[in-house]
Amino acid sequence: AIVDLKQFTNHPTLNHLRLKEEHAFNLCRIGEMIKVSCREQYPVQHPIEDYPGVDILAFRDTTTNEEEEDDNDHYYYSRNTVVMSNNKLDWEKPETWTGMLDRSPCGTGTCAIMAVLHARGELVMGERFVHESIVGTKFIGTILEETTIGKKK
């Protein structure tokens, strides 16, 4: 799942969430709840793989999601943190509402976010995508071509 933090801006209790290390506990807790809720409420079926549903979540910071210039070299910049599970969440046991944050932007997550941005028309083929993690590590990607999996483009 890909979640834009800006959607929490007007939320009465979550409007403080930011992509900062000091917010890691709440990012993990909320991320795990979102993942489980997605699996329960929106079952998915991959076109060719057996896939149980959302198992990784990326929070995106769209407040810094802007086109940057670096020595006249245009690229798309975004920040994220990836929430990974470390146990099975039980709604009746708050102590299980935990997870871990990946210290990297996550290769799979970077590709997924690039695909979503491309589908929305926000990232064009061949454009560099600079993806920064919550601790400052960066992945750089570029969409080289479109593909089809099963009958899905």
Side-chain angles (χ1 to χ4, degrees), residues 136-150:
T137 55
K138 294 180 183 177
F139 283 3
I140 299 172
T142 304
I143 296 175
L144 301 176
E145 64 182 314
E146 291 181 348
T147 190
T148 302
I149 297 176

Side-chain angles (χ1 to χ4, degrees), residues 6-113:
K6 72 177 179 183
Q7 70 187 5
F8 298 120
T9 302
N10 296 319
H11 191 279
T13 59
L14 300 177
N15 59 359
H16 70 283
L17 277 179
R18 301 288 181 271
L19 281 186
K20 296 183 177 182
E21 292 179 55
E22 59 265 26
H23 293 242
F25 176 80
N26 283 326
L27 289 166
C28 287
R29 187 173 61 86
I30 302 303
E32 283 300 302
M33 290 178 180
I34 292 170
K35 288 191 302 183
V36 171
S37 294
C38 286
R39 285 194 301 266
E40 291 175 354
Q41 297 173 39
Y42 302 101
V44 297
Q45 180 57 52
H46 188 276
I48 58 175
E49 301 291 333
D50 182 22
Y51 178 68
V54 175
D55 58 353
I56 295 176
L57 179 135
F59 280 113
R60 291 187 61 225
D61 183 355
T62 57
T63 60
T64 60
N65 182 6
E66 56 191 40
E67 297 174 354
E68 298 281 338
E69 297 290 330
D70 180 23
D71 297 328
N72 297 320
D73 185 20
H74 172 79
Y75 60 90
Y76 191 104
Y77 172 83
S78 184
R79 293 187 71 235
N80 88 328
T81 192
V82 173
V83 179
M84 303 173 297
S85 300
N86 62 1
N87 66 33
K88 184 176 180 179
L89 184 141
D90 181 338
W91 290 114
E92 303 299 320
K93 298 179 182 176
E95 66 272 14
T96 67
W97 305 349
T98 64
M100 305 172 288
L101 297 182
D102 194 336
R103 67 184 179 275
S104 78
C106 177
T108 302
T110 297
C111 292
I113 290 170

Side-chain angles (χ1 to χ4, degrees), residues 52 109 122 132:
E122 298 174 33
E132 184 176 348

